[in-house]
Amino acid sequence: MNPDALTEHLSLFLDVVESGSFSAVARRRPLTPSAVARRIDSLERALGSALFIRTTHAVRPSAAGLAFAERAKRILGELRQARAEVVSLSNAPEGLIRIDAPSPFGRRHLAPALADFLAAYPGLDVQLRLIDSFVDMQGEHLGKVDLMVRVGPLVDSRLIATPLAPIIRIACASPAYLRRRGHPASPLELSDHDGLDWDALAPPFAWRFEVDGQSRLIRPRRMRMVANNAETLVFGALSGLGIAHLPTWLSGEYLARGELLPLFCETGLPTAEPSGIHALHLEGETGTRSRLLLEFLKDRFGPVPPWDLALRLSLSQA
C-alpha cells in the first residue's frame, strides 16, 4: 500500500471510530456508505483482524480496533509530519506565529504540539501567550495575534473558526472518595454527593446529563470547592474532595491511570458537546505560516483526540 493510500485508509478508519457510522463518514467524503464499508473490509483483511463490531444500528470498534486506533493515530501523525518536513525543506517557511490559548489546554496539549511543529519547521518561530482562564479569550487581542485557541462555545462572529478537537465531559471522582461516599449509579444520585464546581463563568454544559432522553442540569448539593481554574478542580478531585464534571482533555490522563474513576460510562464515553476546541483568526488574515500550523494541529488533535483514544481503550478493558 503506497503512503497516500495508507494515509487515506487510516484516516477513514479513525473517522469511523469517531462517528460510529459508515453513513456519517460517507457524508464527509465523496464516498457512498458501501464504499466506506469496503475500504474498512480491505483494511481488516490486510490486518487479519476484525476492527469493528457491526449491528443494524451502529458500528463500534472491537477491542482490537480500539488498540489499533491508538497506534493508527500515531502512524498517521508520523506520516503527515514526514510530509510536512518534506514541504518545509522545499519551501523553507520562515517567520513568527503569535498564538493565544487558555492555560490548562496550552500547558497540557498545545505546548507539546508546538514543540513538534517547530522541530518540523526550523525556519518558523512561535510566540505563545497562555491566558489563565478555563473558558477562553473574549476577542480583545484581535489583531495582536495570528491564531487564538478557544475551548468551548464560540461567541465572536468576526472570527473564522477551524475545529481542532471535540469536547467530551465526564463526571469523575477519586477511588478514595467513592469508597467513602459510595458510587452513584445515576446522575439523579448526585444530589447526595459533594462536588467541585466553577464560579460564575462555568462552562454551559457542565453538570448536564442525558436522563430519559432529555438533557438535565443535575448538580451535587454541596460544593466543597468552587474555582475559576479547571486545573484546581482536578487537584480537588484527586484529593478526594468530591465529584467533578471535567472535560476529557483535562481529566483523561488521570482516568486512564485509575487516579480518577469515570461515572455513568457503562455504555462508553458520553456524546461530544455541541461546542469544541477551535483555532480562530480574523477573516482574510491567515498567512502561509498560520495555515501550516492549523493543518498540523488538526492532524494532531482530530478527528479522535489522543486523550479520548487512550480513555476508550481503558474503558473497553475495564
Side-chain angles (χ1 to χ4, degrees):
M1 189 178 292
N2 65 55
D4 287 338
L6 178 59
T7 298
E8 173 62 21
H9 274 71
L10 292 180
S11 177
L12 188 74
F13 164 70
L14 291 174
D15 279 354
V16 176
V17 170
E18 177 196 17
S19 66
S21 166
F22 293 151
S23 298
V25 173
R27 287 193 292 270
R28 303 178 191 173
R29 299 164 177 260
L31 295 170
T32 63
S34 61
V36 174
R38 285 196 299 272
R39 295 191 183 189
I40 294 298
D41 290 340
S42 174
L43 184 61
E44 289 178 326
R45 286 194 299 272
L47 294 171
S49 179
L51 300 176
F52 292 97
I53 299 170
R54 311 180 193 193
T55 69
T56 55
H57 302 292
V59 178
R60 59 186 179 88
S62 64
L66 286 171
F68 180 67
E70 188 171 4
R71 187 172 296 275
K73 181 76 173 181
R74 293 198 298 269
I75 293 171
L76 191 59
E78 291 290 336
L79 285 170
R80 287 172 171 167
Q81 185 170 335
R83 181 171 294 174
E85 289 173 354
V86 171
V87 172
S88 73
L89 290 173
S90 60
N91 297 331
E94 297 180 349
L96 176 68
I97 307 173
R98 301 163 300 169
I99 309 167
D100 275 1
S103 293
F105 184 80
R107 283 192 291 267
R108 277 176 161 76
H109 304 292
L110 184 59
L114 291 176
D116 290 341
F117 174 77
L118 292 175
Y121 295 96
L124 293 177
D125 304 312
V126 163
Q127 181 184 71
L128 175 62
R129 182 173 183 264
L130 297 181
I131 309 299
D132 193 20
S133 167
F134 172 75
V135 182
D136 55 85
M137 296 76 65
Q138 297 300 320
E140 66 268 25
H141 302 296
L142 290 174
K144 299 179 182 178
V145 296
D146 300 297
L147 295 174
M148 294 188 293
V149 174
R150 179 169 289 177
V151 176
L154 302 178
V155 296
D156 199 326
S157 61
R158 294 172 293 173
L159 301 173
I160 304 300
T162 298
L164 298 181
I167 295 177
I168 293 176
R169 194 176 300 274
I170 289 181
C172 56
S174 71
Y177 174 85
L178 295 175
R179 284 195 298 270
R180 187 173 72 250
R181 296 292 302 275
H183 196 296
S186 158
L188 297 174
E189 298 179 15
L190 285 174
S191 59
D192 298 326
H193 285 266
D194 297 335
L196 307 161
D197 203 8
W198 286 269
D199 62 9
L201 296 176
F205 300 101
W207 302 112
R208 289 199 170 272
F209 302 92
E210 288 290 326
V211 178
D212 296 330
Q214 294 185 331
S215 176
R216 294 182 54 180
L217 179 65
I218 308 173
R219 295 155 45 91
R221 180 176 302 153
R222 180 187 180 191
M223 292 299 178
R224 296 296 311 281
M225 177 186 289
V226 176
N228 67 340
N229 178 274
E231 289 173 309
T232 302
L233 303 182
V234 173
F235 298 144
L238 290 170
S239 299
L241 294 180
I243 296 173
H245 195 210
L246 301 172
T248 54
W249 65 258
L250 183 64
S251 61
E253 61 183 287
Y254 306 106
L255 290 162
R257 292 197 299 261
E259 296 172 34
L260 293 175
L261 298 180
L263 302 176
F264 324 129
C265 292
E266 292 78 10
T267 59
L269 293 179
T271 302
E273 296 178 2
S275 59
I277 301 171
H278 294 81
L280 310 176
H281 62 86
L282 285 170
E283 185 173 6
E285 293 195 10
T286 306
T288 301
R289 297 187 298 269
S290 295
R291 287 197 296 271
L292 284 172
L293 178 56
L294 280 174
E295 290 304 312
F296 184 91
L297 294 178
K298 285 166 58 180
D299 289 341
R300 177 80 169 225
F301 298 137
V304 181
W307 52 86
D308 283 346
L309 278 176
L311 185 53
R312 288 185 185 188
L313 182 59
S314 67
L315 288 175
S316 69
Q317 296 173 344

